[in-house]
Amino acid sequence: GAAIGCRLSPPSSSPSILHPPPAHHRDSLRRASARLGALEGLRGAAMPSGTAGLSALVALGVALDRLLARRNEAQDRRARWASEGTGGADPRDEDGEEEALGGGDEGDDDDDEEEEEEEADEGPLVVAVDCGTESLRVGLFRVSDGRLLASHSTGYRTIKPHSGWAEQVPSEWWNALKTSTNAAIGKLSGRHQRRARRRERQRLGQKPRDPAQPAPRRQQPHSPRRVSERPHRPSEAQRAEGFDAARREIRERIKALSIVATTCTLVPVGDFERGASDRGGFIGSLSNALLWSDVRAVKEADEIKQLDGEIVRRYTPLGVSAEWLLPKAMWLKRNRPSIYNECHSLLEMHDYLCLCLTRKRIASANTAIQRGFYDSRPRREGPVDSGSRWPGALFDRLGMNDLKPKLAKVINVGDKVGTITPRVAVELGLRSDDGSASLSEAKMKAQGDSDGVDAKKTTNGVEVICGGGDAFVGALGMGVVSSGQLGLMTGSSNVLVGFVKGADVEGEEHKPQRRRLHQRGVFGPFPGCVLPNLELLEAGQPSTGSMMQWLRELLGGVSFTELDRKAAQISIGCKGLMILDCFQGSRTPYVDSKARGVMIGLTLATTPAMIYRAMLEAIAYGTRSALEGIEYGLADADHKERFVKELVVVGGATRSEFFMQLYADVLGCKLVTLTSPDAAMLSAAVVASAGCGLSGLSLSRTAEKFVKRGRCYLPDAKAHSSYTTIFKHYVQMHPKLKSLMHRMISDNK
């Protein structure tokens, strides 16, 4: 056990409330004094003796009894919140913990910095969901200014049964979504409850306590102070009632939800409409999901690359990545035929979660275009049914003519998917379980279509708005919304995205610009996959942050802060140590799923800090290689100036000032960070706010309103020159080692 916040004070001059002990208790007194002396000795203070010592001991016991009683009350509250889906965390507290041990009445008087701001915290809210590689994060955003009010993150596992394989369990996504949504709503509700209590105290004329001063001692029952003069302290029942009222208010203000997720993370789903895989509010999958970083379908990707067709060459003539939808679908059909044949829908992670929320089977245009060869180009004959835009001819040539029925109807980013079903709304904490959810579900099944039931009567009308890939729709959260802008999203992988003007037209010959981009391994341009009339460019590295995390675990879990501190003491170039950052294949510029990581220059003097810094440099070199590929494609043939003058950077790398300055020195351009801690989650808030019409603006205008710029990093000319010399060696590593790496992969299957 522990006593938090207790202190042993010297005896006061006032008479003790205890009577002097009788003689036969003197032995007990000596023993108690000895125990108390041991406790006080730990603090290095003098030990009061005699009656005063016993008084202090009794006072300590009373304080401990009170603390234990409050702890039990706190445990009861945690159990109640756990039963309501918050994972056991008290949703009244921002950090998921008690304000103080046992309820924290004194802590109520402490005004947090966030709560001291008397902002107009009213108006509609949206739920933004960011499904990353390692965790799912839910945020509540205010539509009026795009401010994040509360968030919660829940992790899940990645299973790696073989080299190049990566799987996740969809039920863990769903549990993470429920836990994070309930907790985020609970945190914001608790903050509103505390603000309401503070306003009530102000109304009663009670001044808030100065946080710098110690908490006042509680009045004893014998205190002559009148009850009417004591500060108003709500009972536990009143606190719970106030929290429930605040939570109802938050629920009523939530109007829309949008999701961004990893891509291409593929989920095979059975015929959920017949209940084949329907378990409550969750729609089960037929197997684990193939994570975006899974490159087991290397053989299938090579087969697609060998085909001589305009569809294959449209976005990436250098090769199709084994990460994409078609190679993975081919692998499933050949190696898991029972799962493939039973599969009713092959869905991306985003589309799968939308299905669980709304029972609507859709596919985001963002991922369909970028990962599934979906043809979004304007047609001279006019619009056609979206189902015919899947490449049926390519599927037939690959023996995948049965794939098209398994792919859902495509809708654009920002379109409405549907409303959250009543049962799911209860699971997510978006409505209370008053028994009407089951009745509403029964009505839906009786009518055969959830559209036949008024959503405002069955739920609070929370609309699900179509999002897409976290790195690509995430451009909105970076403020990259016009032609010529580029953004870098860092994390487990790095993705470089940007937009160019104009929409390609079906039948038009390949532009010289497109050919130049493809020569450097840049994917795209993908027309209309995020914003209308803009084509998206994509380049990236599959293993960046994941590679650093791998090294950190090998070193026993040492903090990145400590690694940064030691790496800063090492000179540029790491004394000849160089790393090829292809630990999970290469995306740009080589499009090589068989590539693997390489270290060159190891000696007996090599230290872990050198390896860590070499990894940082390798990641920055890989980003520079991708950036130069985009510059080469967008610039004219005789253009000599740098095309990219500024790069917006978001994600995990921005937490390290050392890494960001190293990045700027290697790239040789200005780096701009943002004030938002999570651009991907902010992009989901942009989509939700604009898609349901709450912002009253387009996607790009809403993004410009929500995104706020932060710190900038400028390159050092001398360091950039040194890195450029080493970069010339880096770009030779893959071409010279490619054949050896491929042979080693073949010999070690």
Side-chain angles (χ1 to χ4, degrees):
I4 300 177
C6 293
R7 63 184 182 187
L8 295 177
S9 303
S12 63
S13 58
S14 59
S16 172
I17 64 172
L18 297 177
H19 295 287
H24 63 276
H25 284 172
R26 289 174 183 172
D27 291 340
S28 299
L29 173 59
R30 282 194 293 269
R31 287 194 296 269
S33 298
R35 295 191 187 99
L36 189 58
L39 290 174
E40 190 66 20
L42 296 176
R43 302 179 68 247
M47 168 58 203
S49 60
T51 302
L54 180 60
S55 300
L57 182 60
V58 172
L60 178 61
V62 172
L64 287 173
D65 288 340
R66 290 175 180 169
L67 290 172
L68 290 173
R70 294 181 198 171
R71 185 195 65 179
N72 294 335
E73 292 176 3
Q75 290 175 342
D76 292 340
R77 285 196 298 273
R78 289 193 183 100
R80 185 165 67 253
W81 301 133
S83 65
E84 295 181 4
T86 63
D90 190 335
R92 294 173 296 183
D93 186 71
E94 179 68 19
D95 296 324
E97 298 180 357
E98 292 293 321
E99 297 169 294
L101 184 61
D105 287 336
E106 289 83 1
D108 292 344
D109 292 331
D110 294 338
D111 295 334
D112 296 331
E113 292 182 4
E114 295 179 355
E115 296 183 47
E116 288 178 350
E117 301 178 8
E118 292 294 338
E119 72 277 0
D121 192 10
E122 296 181 358
L125 305 174
V126 294
V127 180
V129 183
D130 175 19
C131 308
T133 303
E134 298 176 355
S135 64
L136 182 147
R137 192 177 185 199
V138 172
L140 297 179
F141 285 81
R142 191 167 56 201
V143 175
S144 59
D145 57 0
R147 179 179 176 181
L148 175 63
L149 300 181
S151 66
H152 191 84
S153 178
T154 305
Y156 35 67
R157 298 173 299 157
T158 296
I159 303 169
K160 300 178 181 179
H162 304 287
S163 175
W165 292 31
E167 301 176 356
Q168 288 184 345
V169 183
S171 62
E172 295 184 6
W173 303 339
W174 184 249
N175 291 333
L177 178 60
K178 291 191 298 182
T179 299
S180 295
T181 306
N182 275 281
I185 294 174
K187 289 177 180 179
L188 186 56
S189 302
R191 189 179 305 162
H192 277 236
Q193 179 198 21
R194 293 193 294 272
R195 184 179 293 117
R197 291 205 303 268
R198 186 172 67 252
R199 290 173 178 170
E200 177 65 15
R201 289 194 294 267
Q202 292 173 351
R203 186 184 68 81
L204 296 174
Q206 299 174 3
K207 296 181 179 180
R209 180 176 63 81
D210 185 356
Q213 299 298 324
R217 299 183 64 182
R218 290 180 177 271
Q219 295 293 325
Q220 300 295 333
H222 66 280
S223 173
R225 188 177 184 181
R226 295 179 182 177
V227 175
S228 59
E229 296 177 355
R230 296 176 185 173
H232 172 70
R233 295 189 185 278
S235 65
E236 186 63 29
Q238 290 174 325
R239 289 163 60 90
E241 182 180 354
F243 174 76
D244 291 339
R247 184 162 54 179
R248 285 194 298 270
E249 177 190 350
I250 297 301
R251 287 168 173 168
E252 292 173 357
R253 291 170 56 191
I254 295 175
K255 303 301 180 184
L257 178 149
S258 188
I259 301 171
V260 294
T262 60
T263 178
C264 172
T265 297
L266 204 60
V267 187
V269 179
D271 189 357
F272 69 94
E273 293 179 349
R274 297 193 307 178
S277 55
D278 186 0
R279 293 178 293 185
F282 167 67
I283 297 177
S285 61
L286 298 175
S287 70
N288 288 345
L290 303 186
L291 193 60
W292 66 270
S293 57
D294 188 296
V295 291
R296 69 183 71 183
V298 172
K299 179 181 178 181
E300 288 74 14
D302 288 342
E303 290 183 27
I304 299 172
K305 180 181 177 180
Q306 298 304 320
L307 293 178
D308 184 16
E310 189 272 338
I311 296 176
V312 177
R313 299 196 314 269
R314 183 184 302 151
Y315 299 134
T316 168
L318 291 184
V320 175
S321 173
E323 302 171 12
W324 289 12
L325 183 150
L326 186 52
K328 287 180 175 177
M330 293 172 63
W331 187 93
L332 279 175
K333 184 174 183 178
R334 295 174 178 179
N335 298 275
R336 302 290 187 272
S338 60
I339 293 176
Y340 182 84
N341 294 331
E342 187 181 351
C343 173
H344 178 265
S345 302
L346 272 176
L347 301 174
E348 285 264 18
M349 183 180 189
H350 164 274
D351 309 332
Y352 169 77
L353 291 175
C354 286
L355 176 67
C356 291
L357 291 170
T358 66
R359 296 302 193 267
K360 301 292 184 182
R361 180 173 173 261
I362 61 94
S364 170
N366 170 246
T367 54
I369 295 168
Q370 291 189 247
R371 296 295 182 256
F373 293 103
Y374 183 80
D375 188 1
S376 64
R377 296 173 301 165
R379 293 197 172 191
R380 293 193 174 98
E381 298 84 0
V384 295
D385 178 69
S386 64
S388 65
R389 307 302 291 270
W390 292 106
L394 176 62
F395 293 168
D396 291 341
R397 293 183 63 183
L398 294 168
M400 296 293 292
N401 56 342
D402 54 351
L403 176 59
K404 190 174 177 181
K406 302 179 186 295
L407 303 177
K409 177 183 178 181
V410 177
I411 64 175
N412 292 324
V413 174
D415 287 353
K416 295 180 181 179
V417 178
T419 55
I420 296 178
T421 62
R423 189 187 309 178
V424 172
V426 171
E427 292 187 39
L428 298 183
L430 298 174
R431 63 169 292 168
S432 60
D433 189 4
D434 54 5
S436 61
S438 299
L439 179 60
S440 299
E441 293 281 4
K443 289 182 179 179
M444 290 182 179
K445 291 181 180 179
Q447 296 183 14
D449 191 338
S450 59
D451 287 339
V453 179
D454 186 355
K456 294 187 180 297
K457 293 181 180 179
T458 57
T459 71
N460 62 349
V462 178
E463 295 179 332
V464 177
I465 309 300
C466 180
D470 52 1
F472 313 119
V473 177
L476 301 175
M478 291 187 278
V480 176
V481 294
S482 59
S483 179
Q485 290 183 309
L486 289 175
L488 174 66
M489 182 168 288
T490 66
S492 298
S493 64
N494 276 9
V495 179
L496 193 63
V497 295
F499 292 104
V500 292
K501 289 182 179 179
D504 196 7
V505 178
E506 183 186 23
E508 186 177 351
E509 294 296 327
H510 288 295
K511 300 175 183 178
Q513 183 185 81
R514 182 185 294 271
R515 290 197 298 269
R516 291 171 61 83
L517 285 167
H518 290 170
Q519 289 173 7
R520 294 299 183 91
V522 178
F523 296 115
F526 301 100
C529 69
V530 177
L531 294 172
N533 302 322
L534 285 177
E535 298 181 339
L536 184 139
L537 301 174
E538 174 198 350
Q541 303 154 267
S543 51
T544 53
S546 56
M547 180 175 68
M548 295 166 60
Q549 180 64 23
W550 168 83
L551 177 63
R552 179 173 176 264
E553 292 175 357
L554 285 183
L555 298 178
V558 60
S559 69
F560 285 122
T561 302
E562 179 65 16
L563 289 172
D564 281 351
R565 185 186 66 81
K566 293 181 178 180
Q569 302 172 5
I570 299 171
S571 61
I572 293 175
C574 305
K575 298 183 179 180
L577 178 63
M578 186 179 296
I579 294 177
L580 182 64
D581 54 311
C582 299
F583 279 44
Q584 197 79 355
S586 170
R587 189 178 301 157
T588 303
Y590 307 113
V591 195
D592 183 4
S593 299
K594 296 180 181 178
R596 291 295 182 266
V598 177
M599 294 186 188
I600 294 179
L602 290 168
T603 70
L604 295 178
T606 300
T607 65
M610 290 181 185
I611 298 176
Y612 176 74
R613 175 165 185 139
M615 279 193 172
L616 298 184
E617 293 182 357
I619 293 170
Y621 293 145
T623 303
R624 177 171 173 174
S625 180
L627 191 63
E628 290 187 352
I630 292 179
E631 286 186 317
Y632 176 81
L634 296 182
D636 296 332
D638 56 352
H639 191 73
K640 302 301 181 183
E641 280 189 39
R642 290 290 305 269
F643 179 82
V644 178
K645 298 292 194 302
E646 179 181 286
L647 184 65
V648 180
V649 185
V650 298
T654 60
R655 299 171 188 157
S656 169
E657 295 182 2
F658 170 71
F659 193 12
M660 288 300 297
Q661 187 58 54
L662 187 151
Y663 247 131
D665 294 342
V666 172
L667 299 179
C669 66
K670 177 182 177 182
L671 303 185
V672 179
T673 63
L674 304 178
T675 59
S676 172
D678 191 330
M681 191 165 62
L682 180 61
S683 68
V686 169
V687 172
S689 301
C692 67
L694 289 173
S695 68
L697 301 170
S698 65
L699 286 173
S700 57
R701 291 296 179 86
T702 302
E704 291 173 347
K705 178 181 177 181
F706 283 9
V707 175
K708 308 294 189 301
R709 291 198 163 199
R711 179 176 175 178
C712 297
Y713 293 85
L714 299 176
D716 179 86
K718 183 178 179 180
H720 177 65
S721 177
S722 300
Y723 282 123
T724 298
T725 301
I726 303 172
F727 176 70
K728 294 177 181 178
H729 301 303
Y730 169 85
V731 295
Q732 300 179 45
M733 292 180 69
H734 179 271
K736 292 185 176 181
L737 297 173
K738 178 179 178 180
S739 60
L740 175 61
M741 288 189 292
H742 287 198
R743 287 198 303 270
M744 292 180 66
I745 291 293
S746 300
D747 295 342
N748 292 275
K749 287 185 178 180

